[in-house]
C-alpha cells in the first residue's frame, strides 16, 4: 500500500489530502555539495563535499505529510517505509511475506487472536528499545482517534483489542477473521515520542529533526516542495545502507529532472511516475546511464464523479448529474480507444487496462469476458446516449431534457504529460459523440478532488502484493464523515453489493477462494462504470551507473526500483566506487537507480503514488 500510492498517488495534503498527486511549487535547493537551481554547476550527486556518499533521487511529487497517520502519497509512504519498521515485509524476490519488526506470528484455531513475536534487536534512533508496546500503542491510537486513522484506518477497523503482554509479545484480538494479518502495511511509531502529540489530524511531523525512527534511514531534513533528506541508520538490525545519505529532490518539470540526471546532479529519475517514451529513448544512448523498463504495479484510470457525498448523507461538490446514469458512464468508456492510448501515448511501455489489479499480481488479476467488456465502440456509445435521453441537436451537440449541451470537466495533473496527451484524445473521441470536454490541468488537484468539484479525473494507484488497501478505498466506510472532513475514499464510491464482497474477501483465509472474491470485486467496479482502468504502465526509470553500482529490483527478475513494497532499493544500493558487490540477498548489479518506495510523483502518487492514494498524486 504504499499507499500508497495514489496517482498523484495515493493524495492528501499536509492534512492528508490523499488522492491526487499534485505537483506543488518550483524545485529548489538541496544539500551541501549538490548542484541546485541556484548553483547550476554540475557535480557528482553521489559525493558530497565532506566525502559522504549521497544518493540523490529526482521526484515529481511533493510530500503530503510526514506523519505516518496522515500520509497517502507514494513519496510520503515510501519515506515512511525507509524510516519506520512494519510488523512484516515483502521479499523482493517474489513478494512473499517475511519478518519485519515481528520475527514470527501465529493465530488461534478460530483465527480471531493473532500473536506476534517482536524482535529484540531493533532500537529507535534515539537509543531506546523498540518493543511490542510501541506497536500496541500505534494500533490502539488508530482505533480510538479518528485523525490517527486517516491514512490506514481500514487495517484496524476489525480490531477488537490490542495488547502487549511483554516487550516481545504483541496480541491482536479480532471481531471476525481478517485475511490481512500478515500484510498490515502500517508504520509502527515510537510511543514515547508520539504520545506527546496533541491533534493527530493536524500534526505533520515536519518541524523537528532528526525524526526518531527504527528503519534503515533516519529523516534529518525537509523543505516543502524542495527536498527530503535522510541519513543511513548505522544501527539498523538488518545492516546499514551503503550510501551515507539519501535525498529526494523535487522537480516540477520532468525535463529538468532528466537534464539533472545527464549532468550527474542526481543519481536516479523515475518521472511522474514514469519517464515518457521520448525521455527514455533519449537516455538510452547516454554514457553511464541505464534505463530500467519493467512491468509496474500501478494502474492508470479515468474516474467519474459518482455524486460525491459524505457518510452523513450530505452531498458534496458539483459533479455533472448526467454521470449518475450508468448508461452515460458506459457510453463514455466505450468511446475510449485503449489500444491507441497504449500505442500512441505510452508507445508500448504499458499494457491495456481491464480490472483494478495489474497483471503483475497474477493471483488477483481479472479481465472482463467478451460479453461484459466495454470495448471501443463509438456507434454503440452513441446509441447508449440516445437511450439515456441525450440526443444530438441541430448543431451536433448532445443535449439533455433541459436543452443544455453535455460538457465535462476533466481534472488532470499539470505535471503529468500522459494526462494531457490522453485528454486531447478524449476531446476528439467524445467530441465526435457531441460532448464537450474541458481539461482542468492543475498543480494541485487534491483540493478540488477532495471537495468533489470535478466531473471526471485522471486517477492511478500503486497496488500492494495484498490488494486489501486499494480495494478498501471504494467502500462506504472510506467516505468522509462530513463534507468538512477528509476520508480515505478514492472517488466517493459507495455500493452495498461491493461492500458485501469486500467484507467476504477480508474474512476469507483460503487463498484461492479469496482471490475469486477479489476478482468479483473488480467485476463489480467495472460494471458500475465509475472507474475506467485504461492502462497498466511500465515502470520506466533511469539511473547513473557511475554513481550506483548495484541495486535491488522488485521483483528481482523484472521489477521496478522506485516505489517498491519495502525499502530494498535504497537499502541495497551500492555506490559505484565502493568496491562492494551487493547490498543484500536480492541485490542485482544490473538495474540500479535509487528509489525504493516513493511515489515518484505523478500520480498521487501517488505522489501517486497510495494506501495509498498517492499517485498522479500518488496514491501508494
Amino acid at each position: 500500500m504504499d499507499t500508497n500510492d495514489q496517482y498523484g498517488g495515493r493524495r492528501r495534503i499536509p492534512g492528508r489530502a490523499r488522492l491526487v498527486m499534485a505537483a506543488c511549487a518550483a524545485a529548489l535547493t538541496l544539500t551541501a555539495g549538490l548542484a541546485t537551481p541556484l548553483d547550476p554547476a554540475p557535480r557528482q550527486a553521489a559525493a558530497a563535499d565532506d566525502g559522504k556518499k549521497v544518493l540523490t533521487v529526482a521526484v515529481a511529487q511533493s510530500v503530503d505529510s510526514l506523519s505516518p497517520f496522515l500520509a497517502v502519497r507514494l513519496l510520503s509512504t515510501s519515506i515512511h517505509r525507509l524510516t519506520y519498521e512494519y510488523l512484516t515485509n515483502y521479499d523482493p524476490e517474489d513478494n512473499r511475506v517475511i519478518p519485519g519488526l515481528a520475527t514470527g506470528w501465529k493465530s488461534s484455531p478460530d483465527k480471531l487472536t493473532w500473536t506476534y513475536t517482536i524482535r529484540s534487536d531493533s532500537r529507535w534512533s534515539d537509543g531506546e528499545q523498540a518493543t511490542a508496546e510501541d506497536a500496541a500503542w500505534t494500533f490502539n491510537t488508530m482505533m480510538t482517534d479518528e485523525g490517527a486513522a486517516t491514512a490506514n484506518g481500514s487495517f484496524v477497523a476489525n480490531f477488537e483489542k490490542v495488547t502487549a503482554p511483554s516487550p516481545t509479545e504483541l496480541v491482536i484480538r479480532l471481531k471476525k477473521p481478517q485475511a490481512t494479518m500478515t500484510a498490515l502495511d502500517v508504520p509502527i511509531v515510537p510511543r514515547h515520542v508520539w504520545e506527546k502529540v496533541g491533534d493527530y489530524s493536524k500534526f505533520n511531523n515536519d518541524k523537528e529533526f532528526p525524526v526518531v525512527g527504527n528503519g534503515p534511514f533516519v529523516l534529518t531534513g525537509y523543505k516543502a516542495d524542495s527536498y527530503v533528506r535522510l541519513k543511513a541508520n548505522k544501527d539498523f538490525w538488518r545492516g546499514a545502507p551503503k550510501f551515507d545519505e539519501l535525498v529526494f529532490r523535487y522537480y516540477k518539470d520532468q525535463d529538468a529532472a532528466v537534464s539533472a540526471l545527464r549532468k550527474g546532479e542526481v543519481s536516479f529519475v523515475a518521472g511522474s511516475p514514469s519517464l515518457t517514451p521520448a525521455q527514455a529513448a533519449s537516455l538510452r544512448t547516454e554514457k553511464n546511464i541505464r534505463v530500467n523498463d519493467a512491468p509496474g504495479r500501478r494502474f492508470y484510470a479515468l474516474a467519474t464523479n459518482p455524486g460525491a457525498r459524505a457518510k452523513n448523507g450530505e452531498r458534496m461538490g458539483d459533479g455533472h448529474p448526467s454521470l449518475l446514469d450508468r448508461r452515460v458512464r458506459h457510453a463514455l468508456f466505450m468511446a475510449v480507444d485503449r489500444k491507441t492510448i497504449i500505442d500512441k501515448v505510452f508507445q508500448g511501455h504499458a499494457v491495456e487496462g481491464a480490472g483494478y489489479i495489474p497483471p503483475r499480481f497474477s493471483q488477483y488479476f481479472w479481465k472482463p469476458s467478451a460479453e461484459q467488456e466495454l470495448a471501443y465502440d463509438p456507434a454503440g456509445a452513441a446509441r447508449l446516449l440516445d437511450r439515456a435521453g441525450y440526443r444530438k441537436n441541430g448543431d451536433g451537440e448532445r443535449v439533455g431534457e433541459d436543452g443544455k449541451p453535455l460538457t465535462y470537466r476533466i481534472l488532470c495533473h499539470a505535471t503529468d504529460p500522459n494526462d494531457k496527451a490522453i485528454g486531447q484524445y478524449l476531446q476528439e473521441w467524445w467530441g465526435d459523440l457531441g460532448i464537450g470536454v474541458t481539461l482542468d490541468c492543475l498543480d494541485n488537484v487534491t483540493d478540488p478532488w477532495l471537495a468533489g468539484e470535478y466531473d471526471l479525473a485522471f486517477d492511478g494507484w500503486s497496488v500492494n502484493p495484498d490488494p486489501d488497501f486499494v480495494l478498501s478505498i471504494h467502500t462506504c466506510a472510506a467516505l468522509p464523515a462530513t463534507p468538512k472532513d477528509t476520508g480515505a475514499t478514492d472517488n466517493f464510491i459507495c455500493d452495498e453489493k461491493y461492500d458485501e464482497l469486500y467484507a467476504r474477501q477480508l474474512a476469507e483465509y483460503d487463498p484461492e477462494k479469496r482471490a475469486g472474491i477479489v476478482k468479483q470485486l473488480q467485476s463489480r467496479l467495472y460494471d458500475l462504470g465509475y472507474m475506467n482502468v485504461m492502462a497498466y504502465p511500465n515502470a520506466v526509470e533511469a539511473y547513473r551507473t557511475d554513481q550506483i553500482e548495484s541495486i535491488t529490483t522488485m521483483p528481482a527478475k523484472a521489477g521496478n526500483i522506485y516505489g517498491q513494497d519495502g525499502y530494498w532499493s535504497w537499502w541495497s544500493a551500492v555506490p559505484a566506487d565502493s568496491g562492494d558487490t551487493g547490498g543484500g540477498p536480492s541485490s542485482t548489479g544490473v538495474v540500479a537507480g535509487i528509489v525504493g518506495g516513493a511515489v515518484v510523483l505523478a500520480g498521487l502518487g501517488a505522489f501517486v503514488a497510495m494506501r495509498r492514494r498517492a499517485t498522479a498524486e500518488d496514491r501508494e
Side-chain angles (χ1 to χ4, degrees):
M1 217 183 79
D2 273 322
T3 181
N4 359 290
D5 235 319
Q6 181 192 347
Y7 160 71
R10 291 172 145 273
R11 312 167 257 116
R12 296 169 186 181
I13 195 171
R16 65 255 92 162
R18 3 146 328 256
L19 227 239
V20 247
M21 122 196 180
C24 308
L28 277 166
T29 144
L30 219 186
T31 100
L34 299 179
T36 73
L38 300 180
D39 178 15
R43 303 174 186 169
Q44 286 293 307
D49 291 342
D50 58 4
K52 291 183 178 180
K53 295 296 181 181
V54 180
L55 180 55
T56 307
V57 179
V59 296
Q61 183 179 50
S62 57
V63 169
D64 54 346
S65 176
L66 289 176
S67 165
F69 295 120
L70 303 180
V72 293
R73 290 185 183 173
L74 181 56
L75 176 59
S76 308
T77 56
S78 297
I79 291 169
H80 292 143
R81 274 284 188 187
L82 298 171
T83 54
Y84 300 101
E85 275 281 45
Y86 295 36
L87 288 182
T88 59
N89 209 329
Y90 301 103
D91 192 315
E93 186 75 24
D94 56 10
N95 288 329
R96 65 185 175 86
V97 175
I98 60 174
L101 183 61
T103 60
W105 45 87
K106 61 181 179 180
S107 69
S108 59
D110 63 3
K111 304 293 187 183
L112 293 178
T113 300
W114 285 75
T115 303
Y116 301 82
T117 300
I118 303 301
R119 66 176 59 257
S120 59
D121 56 350
S122 177
R123 306 193 72 83
W124 299 110
S125 53
D126 62 0
E128 292 207 20
Q129 179 72 37
T131 70
E133 179 58 37
D134 293 305
W137 184 87
T138 299
F139 291 130
N140 279 312
T141 301
M142 293 167 60
M143 293 163 60
T144 58
D145 188 290
E146 186 175 335
T150 299
N152 299 308
S154 63
F155 286 115
V156 302
N158 183 44
F159 287 12
E160 181 176 280
K161 186 178 182 180
V162 183
T163 59
S166 77
T168 59
E169 183 180 6
L170 174 71
V171 180
I172 300 178
R173 178 72 179 175
L174 303 174
K175 299 173 185 175
K176 54 188 176 182
Q178 180 171 325
T180 61
M181 295 308 289
T182 59
L184 298 173
D185 294 322
V186 176
I188 304 302
V189 301
R191 174 177 182 171
H192 65 283
V193 174
W194 283 83
E195 65 183 354
K196 301 173 185 176
V197 174
D199 188 344
Y200 292 101
S201 69
K202 297 179 180 179
F203 180 70
N204 286 303
N205 199 29
D206 58 359
K207 297 295 187 292
E208 296 184 11
F209 299 96
V211 173
V212 178
N214 63 340
F217 288 88
V218 177
L219 181 57
T220 59
Y222 166 69
K223 184 172 183 179
D225 303 323
S226 182
Y227 66 83
V228 179
R229 184 183 299 118
L230 306 98
K231 72 175 182 179
N233 181 359
K234 302 301 182 182
D235 298 320
F236 183 52
W237 67 270
R238 199 185 289 273
K242 294 177 176 60
F243 275 91
D244 299 302
E245 291 187 3
L246 172 63
V247 177
F248 293 92
R249 182 177 179 184
Y250 172 66
Y251 285 85
K252 183 177 179 179
D253 184 283
Q254 190 163 303
D255 286 332
V258 171
S259 177
L261 182 73
R262 286 194 173 94
K263 296 175 183 178
E265 297 171 1
V266 300
S267 309
F268 178 94
V269 172
S272 59
S274 294
L275 298 177
T276 66
Q279 290 168 338
S282 70
L283 290 173
R284 290 183 190 279
T285 60
E286 292 281 338
K287 182 181 179 181
N288 297 324
I289 291 180
R290 179 170 295 152
V291 175
N292 182 45
D293 188 346
R297 66 183 185 103
R298 299 179 54 75
F299 66 78
Y300 182 89
L302 187 64
T304 62
N305 190 328
R309 65 181 178 85
K311 287 180 186 176
N312 65 2
E314 288 187 58
R315 294 291 178 180
M316 301 169 58
D318 55 5
H320 201 291
S322 66
L323 295 174
L324 299 179
D325 190 325
R326 189 185 307 194
R327 294 170 298 183
V328 173
R329 300 194 298 270
H330 282 189
L332 293 178
F333 293 166
M334 290 167 63
V336 173
D337 187 350
R338 292 180 177 83
K339 187 176 187 304
T340 292
I341 289 174
I342 300 302
D343 294 343
K344 301 297 185 181
V345 178
F346 291 101
Q347 296 182 27
H349 299 278
V351 295
E352 288 187 37
Y356 208 55
I357 311 297
R360 168 163 156 178
F361 304 106
S362 58
Q363 180 181 11
Y364 300 111
F365 178 64
W366 171 89
K367 58 182 180 181
S369 64
E371 297 75 23
Q372 184 182 15
E373 183 182 8
L374 297 172
Y376 181 55
D377 182 4
R383 290 192 294 272
L384 269 182
L385 290 171
D386 286 342
R387 289 201 292 269
Y390 297 94
R391 298 179 176 274
K392 284 187 176 182
N393 62 15
D395 296 324
E397 299 173 320
R398 291 277 170 184
V399 297
E401 293 181 357
D402 58 4
K404 295 181 179 179
L406 275 186
T407 299
Y408 295 127
R409 304 158 299 163
I410 302 181
L411 193 60
C412 86
H413 306 84
T415 55
D416 192 338
N418 292 330
D419 283 9
K420 297 175 182 177
I422 294 173
Q424 291 176 355
Y425 277 110
L426 295 178
Q427 288 177 323
E428 175 186 339
W429 294 330
W430 293 356
D432 290 342
L433 288 174
I435 296 173
V437 174
T438 300
L439 292 180
D440 193 9
C441 297
L442 307 173
D443 284 345
N444 173 20
V445 298
T446 294
D447 290 346
W449 197 316
L450 292 177
E453 296 171 353
Y454 62 95
D455 297 327
L456 298 104
F458 289 106
D459 193 8
W461 282 81
S462 292
V463 178
N464 301 320
D466 188 294
D468 178 75
F469 177 82
V470 80
L471 296 172
S472 73
I473 58 180
H474 292 310
T475 61
C476 299
L479 294 174
T482 73
K484 295 181 179 180
D485 296 308
T486 298
T489 184
D490 173 49
N491 193 46
F492 298 97
I493 294 173
C494 178
D495 176 71
E496 183 177 329
K497 183 175 180 180
Y498 181 90
D499 277 13
E500 291 174 356
L501 289 168
Y502 174 79
R504 283 178 54 200
Q505 69 82 29
L506 185 60
E508 181 56 69
Y509 281 94
D510 182 280
E512 289 188 12
K513 291 181 180 179
R514 184 179 180 224
I517 301 171
V518 169
K519 292 176 182 178
Q520 291 179 55
L521 276 162
Q522 296 178 79
S523 178
R524 179 62 179 172
L525 271 181
Y526 189 90
D527 288 342
L528 287 172
Y530 291 122
M531 297 285 295
N532 178 16
V533 177
M534 298 180 289
Y536 307 113
N538 285 4
V540 185
E541 49 203 3
Y543 60 91
R544 294 200 62 93
T545 56
D546 56 352
Q547 296 183 18
I548 303 170
E549 178 179 309
S550 67
I551 193 170
T552 296
T553 58
M554 185 176 187
K557 291 184 178 180
N560 56 296
I561 297 169
Y562 184 80
Q564 295 180 357
D565 299 291
Y567 44 65
W568 309 110
S569 57
W570 303 117
W571 172 76
S572 71
V574 177
D577 59 352
S578 69
D580 202 332
T581 58
S586 301
S587 181
T588 170
V590 177
V591 232
I594 278 317
V595 118
V599 255
V600 172
L601 272 241
L604 52 100
F607 349 91
V608 315
M610 329 356 33
R611 6 123 129 28
R612 309 199 95 24
R613 293 142 262 279
T615 204
E617 243 182 98
D618 232 69
R619 300 142 147 183
E620 236 203 293

